[in-house]
Amino acid sequence: MAKIKANDWGSLSQTMAEHRVKSLSALLPTALATGFSEVGEDIEPLKDFNTELTIECGDTDARFAVSEHEQFSPADVEIHLTALMAISSPNMARQSIPDAEWMAELASRFSGLIDLRVTHVRTWLDCNLERFKGDNASIWDLRRRFDSMVIQMKANIQLCGAQCISCCLFCIRSRLHEGNHSCKSDHRCAHRCEFCEDDPKPCSAPAGHPGKHICVVNAHLCGEPCKLSGKLGCLEDCTKVLGHSGDDHMCSALVHMCGEPCALQGLKQQDGKIYSCPERCSVPSEQGHWIHSCDVRFCPMVCELCKWPCGQPHLHGLTQGANHLCGDPHPCPALCSAQGICEIDTAPHSVAATFTGKHETFQYTKYTQVAKRLQCVQMIPAGQISHEGSHSHSTEKQPFHFCEARCDNCGHFCTFLLGHTQEHDTSHGSMAQTCWAVDGPDGTSLELGGRKFSSDDDGAPMMCTLHVHVDYCGTVDGSPCDAKDYITHRLYWRRIGVLLIDPYTRDEQNEFAKCDAMCPGRGKPSYCTLPMFHPPRNPSVPVNVLGYVSNDGHLFGCNNPAVISKHTMIFVIDKSGSMSGRDCRPLDNAPQTNQIRKYFNNGWEHFWSARHVATTARRQTVGALHDAYSVILFNHASTRVITNDLTSSPDELLGVLLATSMGGGTNFSLALREGQAVMERYWSAERAPVMIFLSDGESSVPSSAIQNLCRCAVQLGKPLSFHSVSFGPDSASSLRRMAKLALEIQNNAPHDPLRSATKSIPSTFSTALDTVQLAATFLGIAESLRKPRGSLMHRSSD
């Protein structure tokens, strides 16, 4: 059930294996370093995760230098080596046996401790991975990491082995240490003089020196300066017998080294730095030679395939094109080279993301798909830099690879086998490669799930659960068409069916096929029950079932919210001389048309006829719950003709209005201030404020005038629904700009949980070329409240 809730459709065994590998991976560095899964105040031994029993296996208390992500510094390696020596030094005193034998014994003890720890941890891994059979990429990766970390552990216990700078013992610092070689002793010979008979004195030669032990050379032997004095390795005093013949004085040193700088100079390392060996040539000075070689045994470079030092001779890096290799087999570091996707995580990858849009910023969970190209599982033979054959993430002859097709909107890959013949399919994620396209003027927002989105906002917070989509029209007369239009959910997925099948259930698809017009009532949203993009239903035709038909032709299965809605209707009407044109006429069949024509035979009869039809229809719908009407007429001045009328009939209101004459200039700012004054004077918390501003547009107005009006309404408790209507052809931009500013303030107004049942009708701009259109504009207040229509569109590659 947890996998289903997480939308994870992968096999249960694979998911359990990946979870187990993740747990083991987190504990692996600590397990190899200490032999425990947890250290600190509470020490936790390595256990079988299935039974919680401790893994019974021999181990050591030693701690090793191992890290998964970074190389230990030479100083840290030195600290670990010193701790190891404290618990595992050879039983014999160092100078009691040849130093080469003592060094070999010390290295053997270190290797034994490493083997104990590696065996313990490998047993722990095998025990916890035994139940997961098959070719699991995560398990392969874990074992590769284990092998790489073991190589690092062994590299960090290797000793230098060069001669100490202060005596003749070997250096027991790390193989890659910095600074002078040191045997980490007092550099004094531990033996007594072999020439003293009664009371042997301590040997005065340096520790590990060749030849006999002697307290003072000139007391028992020649003691003259060695003829090779100054050469590297010289012990300075002649150790021949007193009075030996000739002047051929020689010390007891077995080798007098050349002493020239080592030939290994200017070698470029993997990190780009230049390495030059600081040692001196150890070839006997009397031996003729062309290449100067120091006594360091191994190459100082690091293996090209792992972190272990190169196992080749010291000077092999001087050979042109030489490869530095440790001498062990290596897991191939390359990725699988086969076509297709090696692995797709079955559980969506979720991360917290921030959405920043035009209207708001919020946190959301972003779902993405993790597709992987896995590492090759082949082993590179020892001494080679590559294996034969191609790179593959599996040992199977024909390993599974996912299809490479992916969704254009969310980027998820198809989850079928590469080369399949059926339609592509995937589990979709966040639509991160889309943006919003919202119908309406700039600033129009679409509200979904309590969040507002506008055109060009990022579509990443969304999944594909929209009724409509926006797409290109296709072709016109055989040529590509860049125009866009709305299409249904079904048509959208049919268009891209060659790539992806519709991922939604039949019930969801049927729901998406319905119209997205929404009833304006408060509470649970009620949508139109007719198909998407249906022709308007005739409101006058009776409904046979529960519900109603809105004035714009949508069928809803709920009660008509208009019977409980109330508004404060403020008409602000231009009566200037420019409104006296004869380009419009009253509705011929409308009531009171003849009465209107007795007074006006010009543009104003167009308004009064439309307003009378709308007011009458509104009163018939609302019934006893009357709207409050105010009418302000303006030219260069303003007149309050009707204020807050709650009782007059449409005919009585018309009679008052017909006794008005036209003429004069136009002042929008004055009209808006007068409208604001009326709104404030007769404000009612029970009614939603609506202002209809009608003019031919022949005036200018500052933005502050409309902004002050709308902000005043918000401060009083409800946002103003402002509708500017251009009477006749749209000849000015002022009315359009007023509606745009009003809509912005309305959209950004704080939500009032106590707001009345009627939702705030979005502010609009419209052009009414005739009386029918103007009447429809007024009736729109009682029509269905359709949310702004919007969709996610794939972002252009441009």
Side-chain angles (χ1 to χ4, degrees), residues 29 33 89 101 141 145 154 162 187 196 312 340 371 419 481 581 639 661 664 686 706 733 783 788:
S89 292
E101 295 182 17
D141 183 62
R145 290 175 50 240
K154 292 181 177 181
H187 311 297
C196 294
Q312 300 297 319
C481 178
T639 304
S661 61
E686 297 179 353
I706 183 66
S733 61
E783 292 177 347

Side-chain angles (χ1 to χ4, degrees), residues 672-673 676 679-680 702-715 720 745:
L672 290 174
R673 288 197 299 270
Q676 179 177 342
M679 179 185 69
E680 292 184 80
S703 299
S704 59
I706 183 66
Q707 290 171 337
N708 291 339
L709 168 66
C710 297
R711 288 168 181 164
C712 175
V714 173
Q715 292 174 355
L720 174 65
I745 295 176

Side-chain angles (χ1 to χ4, degrees), residues 5-7 22 345-353 364-370 412 429-430 463:
K5 184 176 181 180
N7 198 26
K22 185 176 181 181
D345 285 352
T346 55
H349 181 64
S350 60
V351 295
Y364 70 99
T365 301
K366 185 175 183 179
Y367 293 95
T368 57
Q369 184 190 64
V370 179
H412 283 204
S430 299
M463 307 290 277

Side-chain angles (χ1 to χ4, degrees), residues 125-165:
L125 291 177
D126 292 343
C127 178
N128 284 292
L129 295 175
E130 183 179 11
R131 61 180 294 189
F132 304 106
K133 305 298 182 181
D135 198 14
N136 187 285
S138 299
I139 295 178
W140 274 103
D141 183 62
L142 176 63
R143 294 197 180 278
R144 278 194 295 266
R145 290 175 50 240
F146 170 76
D147 292 338
S148 296
M149 295 173 74
V150 169
I151 290 174
Q152 183 190 15
M153 289 174 63
K154 292 181 177 181
N156 287 337
I157 63 166
Q158 283 194 329
L159 302 175
C160 172
Q163 183 175 320
C164 175
I165 194 174

Side-chain angles (χ1 to χ4, degrees), residues 87-105:
I87 63 173
S88 60
S89 292
N91 295 327
M92 301 80 70
R94 182 165 185 179
Q95 297 186 40
S96 64
I97 58 175
D99 205 46
E101 295 182 17
W102 188 88
M103 283 283 291
E105 175 68 16

